[in-house]
Amino acid sequence: MTPSRPARPAVLSQNQYGKAENRVVRITRDGTTHHIKDLNVSVALSGAMDEVHYSGSNANVLPTDTTKNTVYAFAKKHGIESAEQFGIHLARHFVTSQEPIRTARVRIEEYAWERIADPGADSGADTASTGGGSPSADTASTGGGSPSADTAGGRHSFVRRGQETRVTQITYDGSSWEVVSGLKDLVVMNTTNSEFWGYVKDEYTTLKEAYDRVLATEVSGRWRFNWTGDDQPMPDWEESYRRVREHMLRAFAETYSLSLQQTLYQMGARIIDHREEIDEVRFSLPNKHHFLVDLEPFGLKNDTPEGAVYFAADRPYGLIEATILRDGSEARIPVDLTNL
Ligand SMILES: O=c1[nH]c(=O)c2[nH]c(=O)[nH]c2[nH]1
């Protein structure tokens, strides 16, 4: 039997297309006070799109690349007052500017950022007694201890809203204890006071030196307590966690950074210097790159203080990892924190 045309042939049903997950970050600089709008924008367009599916004719197709550019250009040109306002503006643009497009669906996730508390706002930090002769009382002085204290206090350091995950690992062999605690998924950003230059350049180096860049990372950290036995007073675990987190955030905010490596060291050293119950800290810090979007093709200069628009890249990312020890202590936290 020769194959004949089926009585009920295939027909195209619902279809849509667009660019998903445009990570757009707009930073507005009001003097030394900076503001962040951080969105994940997905555009889905539909309309008279039968031909591109049936014959491959692109005559009605606005490229998904163009929808991406529009998201970034609108962020620059019109700002982001709210996710709703931004989405309405985009959706209206696609439907009213392109005849074949009948429906635009714009989905937006917004990531909220909170300011890292201004240094000095709680200078009592570690002096709070933990009672019971706990060794966790802080012996180092607070405030003004940082070499970059004079650069602190700017309003350009943020922590992403939403709780980090707190982790701990306890090991007991019948006589000795090891407690390693930590956190993951703590996202922080400095919108200034970060540079990266003076690095090695070989025939494959294309990176431009940066004298004022965004520095963002998702902190994964572990710290090992020197408490090893029942004969020693136990640290106040809750208080210790709060203080360590605070020192980490403050070191991130107050360090004028020439590299993420330098910032990492400052974060670890500050914990070692202020928390005598801890002998070892390890960090794994992905460099969450924010690239200024080139909007010159649309006649927009994107380096003006009224608001710069960045593409928040998720991969690949630089991954900066190191252990900071109390001098004379042994490194026992595994190199790969995912093995902990
Ligand atoms: O802080 C940084 N450290 C690096 O080692 C590095 N490498 C790179 O390309 N950018 C950066 N940034």
Side-chain angles (χ1 to χ4, degrees):
M1 243 175 76
T2 50
S4 58
R5 199 173 153 69
R8 305 178 66 201
V11 289
L12 178 70
S13 186
Q14 198 282 338
N15 62 92
Q16 58 192 22
Y17 79 107
K19 202 66 124 192
E21 305 214 41
N22 298 283
R23 293 283 289 102
V24 56
V25 176
R26 190 173 201 271
I27 298 172
T28 313
R29 296 179 169 89
D30 177 10
T32 57
T33 298
H34 295 185
H35 307 271
I36 298 175
K37 273 289 186 188
D38 183 353
L39 306 183
N40 191 7
V41 181
S42 295
V43 177
L45 307 174
S46 50
M49 298 296 159
D50 284 7
E51 273 315 307
V52 62
H53 293 90
Y54 285 133
S55 73
S57 164
N58 291 322
N60 284 355
V61 176
L62 181 74
T64 65
D65 188 65
T66 305
T67 65
K68 175 196 72 182
N69 289 343
T70 310
V71 169
Y72 288 102
F74 271 37
K76 175 70 198 171
K77 253 205 294 203
H78 309 295
I80 303 170
E81 197 184 288
S82 63
E84 287 80 2
Q85 162 273 333
F86 190 62
I88 287 167
H89 201 171
L90 280 167
R92 179 182 292 123
H93 166 80
F94 292 122
V95 171
T96 57
S97 66
Q98 300 298 327
E99 196 277 326
I101 297 173
R102 309 282 154 70
T103 304
R105 189 203 66 199
V106 179
R107 286 187 172 164
I108 301 179
E109 287 179 3
E110 176 166 2
Y111 308 118
W113 293 82
E114 287 166 358
R115 289 183 196 287
I116 295 176
D118 286 344
D122 174 21
S123 58
D126 309 271
T127 50
S129 156
T130 49
S134 158
S136 69
D138 198 347
T139 49
S141 72
T142 55
S146 156
S148 54
D150 56 331
T151 62
R155 293 169 55 77
H156 57 260
S157 299
F158 300 85
V159 56
R160 207 163 95 174
R161 200 178 293 162
Q163 272 301 312
E164 70 274 11
T165 301
R166 182 173 161 181
V167 299
T168 192
Q169 170 182 287
I170 289 103
T171 313
Y172 181 52
D173 64 3
S175 62
S176 187
W177 295 89
E178 184 192 74
V179 179
V180 177
S181 295
L183 56 74
K184 56 184 182 179
D185 307 329
L186 180 72
V187 185
V188 289
M189 181 191 292
N190 281 326
T191 54
T192 189
N193 286 9
S194 167
E195 308 184 11
F196 188 68
W197 49 268
Y199 42 80
V200 171
K201 293 161 192 91
D202 71 4
E203 68 267 45
Y204 302 112
T205 304
T206 57
L207 185 72
K208 295 255 187 321
E209 298 201 319
Y211 299 93
D212 188 6
R213 67 173 183 172
V214 170
L215 185 67
T217 187
E218 183 178 302
V219 179
S220 181
R222 303 288 186 282
W223 44 93
R224 182 171 56 78
F225 292 85
N226 47 35
W227 180 80
T228 56
D230 294 313
D231 52 337
Q232 300 165 316
M234 219 184 258
D236 179 335
W237 308 110
E238 296 295 305
E239 170 76 1
S240 180
Y241 180 83
R242 273 197 300 277
R243 296 307 181 198
V244 168
R245 181 184 189 275
E246 189 171 299
H247 282 302
M248 231 163 37
L249 289 178
R250 289 203 177 175
F252 178 81
E254 293 173 23
T255 301
Y256 189 105
S257 176
L258 299 176
S259 65
L260 186 51
Q261 287 90 330
Q262 183 196 23
T263 297
L264 180 155
Y265 178 78
Q266 289 297 326
M267 291 164 68
R270 181 155 168 160
I271 295 168
I272 296 291
D273 288 349
H274 287 77
R275 303 304 307 181
E276 61 178 17
E277 72 276 24
I278 292 164
D279 277 358
E280 178 182 3
V281 181
R282 184 164 180 85
F283 283 120
S284 178
L285 302 183
N287 193 349
K288 292 171 77 76
H289 303 294
H290 286 67
F291 299 114
L292 264 180
V293 185
D294 178 10
L295 298 173
E296 292 279 348
F298 322 119
L300 298 168
K301 272 196 79 64
N302 192 23
D303 53 5
T304 55
E306 304 90 69
V309 173
Y310 296 83
F311 159 57
D314 65 342
R315 61 190 71 168
Y317 48 87
L319 188 58
I320 311 297
E321 305 181 293
T323 299
I324 294 91
L325 287 177
R326 187 174 300 288
D327 198 14
S329 295
E330 221 180 286
R332 299 209 198 113
I333 300 176
V335 164
D336 184 351
L337 293 187
T338 57
N339 289 337
L340 183 70

